[in-house]
Amino acid sequence: MRMRRLRRSEPLRALVRETSINPGDFIYPLFICPGEGVRREVPSMPGVFNVSVDEAVREAEEAASLGIGGLLLFGLPESKDEQGTGAWDENGIVQQGLRALKQSAAASKLVLIADVCLCEYTSHGHCGVIVESGKTFDVDNDPTLNLLASAAVSLARAGADVVAPSDMMDGRVAAIRRALDAEGLSLTPVLSYASKFASAFYGPFRDAADSAPQFGDRRTYQMDGANLREAMREIDLDLDEGADMILMKPAMPYLDVVHAARENFDVPMGAYQVSGEYSMLHAAFQKGWLDHDRAMLESLLGIRRAGADFIVTYFAKDAAKLLR
Ligand SMILES: [Zn+2]
C-alpha cells in the first residue's frame, strides 16, 4: 500500500478530503457601541472593531455578501449599573442594533444571534447579581436567572433570530425558555454556551467588550479547564432544559471536549474560536512567524474536524474571502 497515491494532485486530494469549511459555517461576532460612524479598533485584536449601529449594518451587508452564516451580537452600553439593566432595556444598544439590522437587506441572509449575559452591562463586570457574604463576593445564581430571562425576551422582541446565554448560571436555559414561551416567542431557539471554561484565552475579548470583572474572577460559575466529564453533564442539563443548540468555548485548547460532545450528543453544535486564539495567531502573523492564510484556515479546519458544525470566529470575513 502507498498512501501517497491519493496525494499526488490537488484534484485527487480534494476528492478524498474528509472535512470541509465553508463561509456558511462561520458566525461573525460584532461589538455594537453608541454613536454614529464609529469604528474603533480593539487594541489587542487587530482587524476587530467596536462599531456603531450604522457601521454594524455595513458589516452585516459585507458578511452577507461573503456568504457568512450569521452574526453574534455583543453590546457596549452608554452606562453600566449594579444590575446590568442595559441588558434588557428596550432601547439597549444591541436592541437598537437588532432593529436596524432587521431593516437591512442583509438580514434575510444572516442568522442574527444575540449574546445573553450581564457582564457587558454591570458596573462590576460579573455575569450576574453580586451577593456579599463576609469578606467574599459571589454571583447569586437564582436572582440572576430572572434578569437573564428578561434580557433574552427583550432581544428576541427586538429581532434576534436566536438567543445565546453565555453566563453559565445553573438553570438559565430553562428560565429563558419559560420566559420566551410565556411571551409568545416559542419559536425563538436557544443556543446555549453549554460548556464554557474559565479561560485565560478570553483576555482580549474583555478589551473588546469592556467587560473585565472589577474584582475576583469567574471561576465560581465558569468551568474548570481540567474537566471533560463535567462538560458532558453541563451539556446534558442544558439540553434537558430546552437548549436547541450548544456552543463550546474556547475551541483550540478544548478540541477534545468538542470531539466528545460530538460523539455524545446529536444536536447542532458550534465552537467559539475565542479572542485569545485569534490574537495569538495575529501576534505571530505580525512577527512573520506564521503564514496568515494557511494558519487561519488550518485553525478553522481543526475545529470542524473535531466535530463543530459551525464556528464563531473573528476570522469569518478573512476566511470567507479565501474560500469563496
Ligand atoms: Zn458574561
Side-chain angles (χ1 to χ4, degrees):
M1 187 59 213
R2 291 187 184 273
M3 295 300 283
R4 288 180 55 188
R5 277 180 204 133
L6 298 180
R7 296 177 198 150
R8 287 189 70 209
S9 69
E10 179 49 29
L12 261 175
R13 290 191 293 270
L15 186 71
V16 300
R17 193 158 286 143
E18 298 173 32
T19 309
S20 63
I21 40 172
N22 300 293
D25 307 329
F26 304 146
I27 305 289
Y28 187 51
L30 279 187
F31 301 94
I32 306 179
C33 67
E36 225 186 286
V38 180
R39 238 185 121 71
R40 201 169 46 234
E41 192 167 30
V42 179
S44 53
M45 300 180 73
V48 175
F49 297 82
N50 291 163
V51 291
S52 50
V53 170
D54 55 322
E55 288 288 325
V57 170
R58 218 161 289 159
E59 289 279 357
E61 281 160 0
E62 192 188 358
S65 75
L66 289 167
I68 287 169
L71 304 176
L72 177 59
L73 306 178
F74 298 93
L76 291 99
E78 200 99 52
S79 63
K80 307 190 183 210
D81 57 34
E82 285 276 300
Q83 300 257 305
T85 53
W88 61 90
D89 179 352
E90 291 304 311
N91 251 327
I93 189 69
V94 174
Q95 285 83 347
Q96 288 177 38
L98 280 164
R99 281 194 289 268
L101 287 167
K102 273 290 170 197
Q103 299 287 315
S104 73
S108 62
K109 298 193 184 128
L110 295 166
V111 181
L112 302 182
I113 307 173
D115 179 81
V116 177
C117 201
L118 303 178
C119 52
E120 296 134 61
Y121 304 93
T122 50
S123 44
H124 45 73
H126 277 285
C127 304
V129 182
I130 295 295
V131 64
E132 189 185 348
S133 65
K135 277 208 177 87
T136 61
F137 297 87
D138 200 4
V139 173
D140 201 353
N141 196 90
D142 295 4
T144 300
L145 301 184
N146 295 329
L147 308 185
L148 292 168
S150 301
V153 166
S154 165
L155 292 161
R157 275 204 194 118
D161 298 313
V162 175
V163 291
S166 61
D167 51 282
M168 290 302 281
M169 297 303 130
D170 291 321
R172 81 274 171 73
V173 173
I176 288 169
R177 184 72 270 159
R178 216 176 295 127
L180 290 171
D181 291 354
E183 296 295 325
L185 296 161
S186 60
L187 291 180
T188 301
V190 176
L191 166 63
S192 166
Y193 288 69
S195 153
K196 180 176 181 179
F197 292 92
S199 171
F201 287 87
Y202 303 148
F205 175 93
R206 292 170 188 171
D207 268 358
D210 186 27
S211 63
Q214 298 304 300
F215 52 84
D217 57 36
R218 297 197 170 107
R219 285 171 215 243
T220 66
Y221 42 107
Q222 295 176 355
M223 285 190 334
D224 188 307
N227 296 355
L228 173 77
R229 292 191 301 260
E230 185 188 356
M232 299 303 112
R233 288 192 68 200
E234 281 283 3
I235 295 168
D236 222 358
L237 286 166
D238 282 11
L239 293 175
D240 264 359
E241 290 178 28
D244 300 278
M245 302 181 274
I246 55 172
L247 191 61
M248 322 288 291
K249 184 180 184 179
M252 197 193 65
Y254 296 87
L255 289 177
D256 57 325
V257 184
V258 174
H259 183 66
R262 175 75 295 153
E263 299 279 293
N264 282 287
F265 302 100
D266 288 325
V267 294
M269 186 179 99
Y272 198 141
Q273 184 180 48
V274 302
S275 58
E277 299 175 58
Y278 175 85
S279 296
M280 71 179 180
L281 283 170
H282 261 285
F285 301 153
Q286 280 177 2
K287 290 244 181 202
W289 288 349
L290 285 175
D291 179 88
H292 179 280
D293 294 355
R294 290 187 58 199
M296 169 179 71
L297 292 179
E298 194 173 330
S299 73
L300 296 165
L301 184 67
I303 297 167
R304 286 270 296 137
R305 194 185 59 242
D309 300 308
F310 53 91
I311 306 170
V312 181
T313 176
Y314 302 99
F315 286 124
K317 288 198 302 184
D318 288 346
K321 283 173 195 162
L322 288 178
L323 295 167
R324 261 193 311 179

